[in-house]
Amino acid sequence: MATDTIGGFDASTELGGIRLPNPVMTASGCAANGKELQRFFDVAQLGAFVTKTVMLEPRSGRGTPRMAETPSGMLNSIGLQGPGIRAFCEQDLTWLKARGARVLVSIAGGTAGEFADVAAHLRASDAWDAVVGVEVNISCPNVANRGQVFACDPTTSAKVMTLVREQLPRDTPIIAKLSPDVTDIVSIAAAVLGAGATGLTMINTLLGVVIDTDLLRPQLGGLTGGLSGPAVRAVAVRAVWQVRAAMLAGQIPTAPIIGVGGIATGRDALELVAAGASAVQVGTVTFHDPSAPLRVRDELTALVRAKGFSQFTDVIGIAHERIARP
Amino acid sequence: MRDVVQVDAEVIATRRVGAYHHITFVAPGVAELARPGQFVALSVGGDSSANLLRRCFSIHKVSPSGTYGGTVDLVISAVGPGTEWLSGLRAHDTTSMVGPLGRPFPLPKEPVATVLVGGGYGSAPLFWLAEALRERGCRVDMVLGAATESRLFGVVEARRAADGVTVTTDDGSMGHRGWVSDVLPAIIADHGVGVVYACGPMGMLKSVTDVAAAGGAVAQVAVEESMACGVGVCMTCVMPVAGNDGVTRMVRSCVEGPVFRGDRVRWDAFEGGVCRVPEDALGATAMRAH
Ligand SMILES: Cc1cc2nc3c(=O)[nH]c(=O)nc-3n(C[C@H](O)[C@H](O)[C@H](O)COP(=O)(O)OP(=O)(O)OC[C@H]3O[C@@H](n4cnc5c(N)ncnc54)[C@H](O)[C@@H]3O)c2cc1C
Ligand SMILES: Cc1cc2nc3c(=O)[nH]c(=O)nc-3n(C[C@H](O)[C@H](O)[C@H](O)COP(=O)(O)O)c2cc1C
Ligand code: FES
């Protein structure tokens, strides 16, 4: 696979045996499935394109209002609107493949079995060879457990990974996307890595509520929503930091981390990388600047290069070696 | 060929018009591509702004080859932090503009009689629509309605752009006291109107759709849903609309709209500032499961 080299600088990164030409991706649900952003830049230029989480059947999503702006961020309650895995494979994945994009497909289910069914349909798709990995969005409600999200419970999270793993070839990276709304994110990371996950994406949105003070009622139709944007960046850096530290300490298996949360610039991306991320995703800021994912790629590579490194992978987790202890 | 651009737009003129601010931006590329009914998305608050989301505005008019390059005119009602900030812009200030966005008003193939209905600043995109319609030989009547006189936009311009103009205000401060839907039936009947175009608040668009249907006309309405991105990637701007196949889907009003056939919009789902998913909408069953 091609490597982005700029003036001798090697921008490539590795994700569970798959080499990506550069470390910058879209974030699931913040880029639709490619066509819309292709009007602004070539999605095949990204390290990978991460698709909107898809489930087995078509979903209408929730009613509106679905969003509220918050300081340096927003709250959303989309409700995983999507076409269902069959239409996704026939239309969206096929389109992405024709563009030459590397696709990280985000999947979810209301039961552990549904996750596996979605993975099986994906594996059977004619466009499967465009898939560089599967991101498993476990921050979605578990029907069997009164709607509590899978990601809050190590046992159900692990079960999802085991069942998805059974449906996919051994060399397909399976990336578990974790929620920061847990007491101990390291224990969830340990559970999913123990159950066959190749790597981790951190973080999904944080649960929030906005009250409309004119009407004195919650602003979102779905009441609660997921908080994202620069407002959550420090939480994302913390999550990546804690999990990477646990890997370095030998408490959990070493695995690649994809950092996401509040990235607006190459500098922001470098924070997550220095904390331990091998790749990054640009989400909410794409709504502000539709060219943001590619801009962040250019800013990040220029910044790492300007700091005197010859390859991107040299800065992954570097902050753990440079702790200043007072 | 590119159908959308992202440019730093520079303000060259700004003036107050009643309760609104009319701003002219130099925005190379946008003017050349735009059609009536499309909109632009502007960044607000400057580079270090905590207001991350773009604000969307209907294009009032464009001049593709002005002295300064292509210009885009917008009419802005200050209702919150973003629109307040935009209203405070002065000549030579800049902000990022993405556009043109959305689908334009469809134009009839035959020269039919039309009525253009604008509620408040909703009249902003109707004047260059009127021009395009008259070029095709269509009769154009305009109905401008608002709560009060200062919230009307373009009454003088309407007299030049249209064959007939009717004004309504809720308080009777100008024109007929009442709503646009009070005067619309007679205009549709008098001129044998085939298409009603409307832009304004949701409640008005619903009643225009009903009045048009009763008069045997097609309604084309430009909606205004809360939008986070304006370019089709976030799924916040959806509303229930029936397709050609009769199936209702939660469609993105930024890319599939903002102009919809009024009789395709599921007005029954809107109530009290929220919109629910109709039970028969595609994918509604899966939502009930989890
Ligand atoms: C297609 C389209 C065309 C529009 N044309 C015009 C126009 O010509 N002139 C004009 O004055 N206004 C227009 N609006 C409405 C305008 O976008 C909102 O008034 C504006 O976004 C409010 O921003 P704010 O920061 O002042 O208010 P806030 O209420 O603080 O906005 C907060 C957030 O909610 C969103 N939002 C709030 N109200 C609306 C709304 N009514 N529509 C869409 N998003 C909203 C904003 O984008 C922002 O993300 C249009 C909206 C759409 C969708
Ligand atoms: C509107 C919106 C929709 C989202 N949809 C999904 C989704 O379908 N699946 C998912 O795993 N994450 C989803 N996310 C979360 C993002 O992928 C990302 O993890 C989070 O927003 C933090 O990154 P950011 O601050 O860069 O946006 C969504 C976020 C937003 C704002
Ligand atoms: S505003 Fe984002 S999809 Fe329409």
Side-chain angles (χ1 to χ4, degrees), chain A residues 180 182-186 189 202 235-249 251-252 257 275 320:
Chain A
V182 294
T183 316
D184 178 15
I185 199 162
V186 173
M202 290 180 283
V235 178
V237 177
R238 180 272 294 171
V240 171
W241 178 273
Q242 285 180 326
V243 171
R244 175 76 173 190
M247 289 175 184
L248 292 171
Q251 291 160 8
I252 62 172
I257 297 171
H320 291 268

Side-chain angles (χ1 to χ4, degrees), chain A residues 39 66 288-289 291, chain B residues 2 6 54-55 235 252:
Chain A
R39 300 167 74 195
R66 285 181 174 184
H288 173 76
D289 172 11
S291 325
Chain B
R2 293 205 79 151
Q6 181 176 358
R54 283 177 183 260
R55 272 51 174 175
M235 311 297 285
R252 291 164 298 176

